[in-house]
Amino acid sequence: MTGVHNHVNFPEELAIRPLLPRDAHPTHDFGDKQQLAFGAEAQREGIETYGIAGRVWEAAYLVNSYIDHPSTWEFDPPLIDQHLSGHKRVFLELGSGTGIVAAKIAQAAALSGRDLVIATDLPEVCPLLEKNLFVMPKGDSANTQVTLVRPLSWGNYDHAINIVRELKLVDDPSGHEHGCITHIICSDLVYFPELLAPLLRTLLHLTSPPSISIFESQPRVIISYKIRSLSKETPFWLAFGLWFSFEPVIVRKTDANNLLSEWQRFGSDIEGDGDLAFIFVARRRPESLNWTIPSEDIDLLGGVGARGTCDKKSDETFETLLLMGLGV
């Protein structure tokens, strides 16, 4: 969870404390290695230096449970498309902050031997990512083999395209030799109103040519989201849904008696504080690749350019999900 301009990492009257996994998700806790980078003391130091980027946020623990979960849990949709099984996968995380989600992905990626994780954030936050992801106990080099840290400020086209070029996607349109971005991970990024349009703009940059080519399928966008202020956050979803189709992740679990539970929205079992949590899986709408992305943020959030027209408009997917009862 981080932002576009440095001042948003230090909002007025900043008063936050470390969030440990047992506080956000009762079934999870840190191992010894994670404690060094993401434990209470590490978060206190991170908050002092990096503001909100130095704290682990609730949706990070939620998405980590989606990435690495007991074999008795079944998700729909799953994190990995079946057609990608056995292929190289490139996970790009936006607003990585402490790097706790990137670290979890890197653990799984190291097991495959072929995947790549790219953790991104503001240039001034990248040192925190490098410290947490690469300063590992002696003999543990898995993260350094599969993880890159790169600057990516939301709304900054050059930052996005530099990563794409590094992956050789621009110079090698087929993308087969070097791999292409298959997953874009967003964890607790929908919060400050001034960041909503830049975030959406970067998602559009990463899902538009030359970031993708006609030879590639669209990246799967994973958004782990905790509602904090619907009035402030809903404008993002009203605009996002114009460009991306999306659905909530649901889960069912097999208990000790081998009984299968009913499907339920993933995140509904960790909402003890009353705030709703979701993981959404999204893909760019194919027809939107022919639309003109407006240069002004107010127009982008207002739906200008979507559906190929210049009038303002919005998508109702998010509000419909809430009304259908998926948010209760």
Side-chain angles (χ1 to χ4, degrees):
M1 183 177 190
T2 189
V4 175
H5 305 294
N6 189 40
H7 75 274
V8 302
N9 281 339
F10 290 91
E12 291 185 14
E13 300 181 2
L14 175 65
I16 56 175
R17 60 181 178 84
L19 179 71
L20 301 180
R22 60 179 176 269
D23 300 325
H25 201 303
T27 63
H28 288 257
D29 209 341
F30 284 135
D32 292 340
K33 294 176 183 177
Q34 288 184 316
Q35 190 72 35
L36 293 173
F38 311 117
E41 184 58 34
Q43 288 188 51
R44 275 192 287 268
E45 293 177 1
I47 291 167
E48 182 177 346
T49 305
Y50 299 98
I52 64 174
R55 185 196 194 237
V56 177
W57 295 86
E58 289 85 349
Y61 293 120
L62 182 63
V63 76
N64 275 3
S65 296
Y66 184 46
I67 296 164
D68 183 17
H69 56 83
S71 59
T72 54
W73 295 11
E74 179 185 357
F75 290 106
D76 183 24
L79 175 65
I80 305 297
D81 283 335
Q82 192 165 1
H83 79 274
L84 287 176
S85 178
H87 293 80
K88 177 175 180 178
R89 296 163 298 195
V90 177
F91 298 85
L92 186 147
E93 187 189 9
L94 298 177
S96 298
T98 64
I100 191 170
V101 174
K104 178 63 71 175
I105 300 171
Q107 287 177 351
L111 296 178
S112 77
R114 66 177 69 88
D115 298 336
L116 178 66
V117 180
I118 306 172
T120 73
D121 213 302
L122 295 166
E124 56 267 30
V125 178
C126 286
L128 175 63
L129 282 170
E130 292 169 349
K131 173 186 174 184
N132 288 349
L133 295 176
F134 300 148
V135 181
M136 301 293 290
K138 186 175 181 180
D140 189 341
S141 59
N143 279 5
T144 62
Q145 295 172 358
V146 300
T147 309
L148 302 175
V149 172
R150 296 293 182 266
L152 204 172
S153 303
W154 303 343
N156 188 313
Y157 178 79
D158 290 338
H159 281 182
I161 208 64
N162 284 344
I163 294 172
V164 172
R165 288 197 178 104
E166 186 172 1
L167 288 171
K168 306 288 180 70
L169 297 184
V170 172
D171 298 327
D172 175 16
S174 70
H176 296 313
E177 180 181 358
H178 302 284
C180 58
I181 297 172
T182 58
H183 295 76
I184 300 171
I185 311 295
C186 305
S187 173
D188 246 332
L189 303 187
V190 180
Y191 51 105
F192 289 150
E194 64 264 37
L195 304 183
L196 302 182
L199 173 59
L200 176 55
R201 193 175 300 280
T202 284
L203 289 171
L204 293 173
H205 289 162
L206 293 171
T207 54
S208 300
S211 297
I212 63 160
S213 77
I214 60 173
F215 300 98
E216 301 157 9
S217 61
Q218 274 285 344
R220 174 171 282 196
V221 180
I222 313 293
I223 302 181
S224 187
Y225 166 60
K226 179 179 179 179
I227 295 176
R228 292 182 171 84
S229 172
L230 274 176
S231 62
K232 294 180 180 179
E233 297 155 5
T234 297
F236 173 83
W237 299 110
L238 298 180
F240 178 80
L242 294 168
W243 301 85
F244 294 83
S245 59
F246 65 100
E247 60 182 319
V249 172
I250 56 177
V251 64
R252 61 182 179 179
K253 304 174 183 179
T254 302
D255 65 18
N257 296 318
N258 207 32
L259 297 176
L260 196 60
S261 71
E262 296 292 327
W263 287 104
Q264 63 176 346
R265 175 175 52 80
F266 187 51
S268 62
D269 59 343
I270 63 167
E271 294 165 355
D273 58 3
D275 291 326
L276 304 182
F278 296 84
I279 292 183
F280 291 119
V281 175
R283 285 195 189 276
R284 182 78 179 267
R285 297 187 185 276
E287 66 273 20
S288 72
L289 295 173
N290 297 317
W291 302 344
T292 299
I293 301 172
S295 58
E296 297 296 326
D297 285 353
I298 190 172
D299 290 337
L300 182 59
L301 283 185
V304 174
R307 299 175 185 158
T309 67
C310 294
D311 59 316
K312 293 188 175 183
K313 62 193 75 70
S314 62
D315 177 79
E316 298 179 352
T317 302
F318 180 68
E319 293 179 325
T320 299
L321 290 174
L322 295 179
L323 291 173
M324 286 174 58
L326 289 171
V328 298

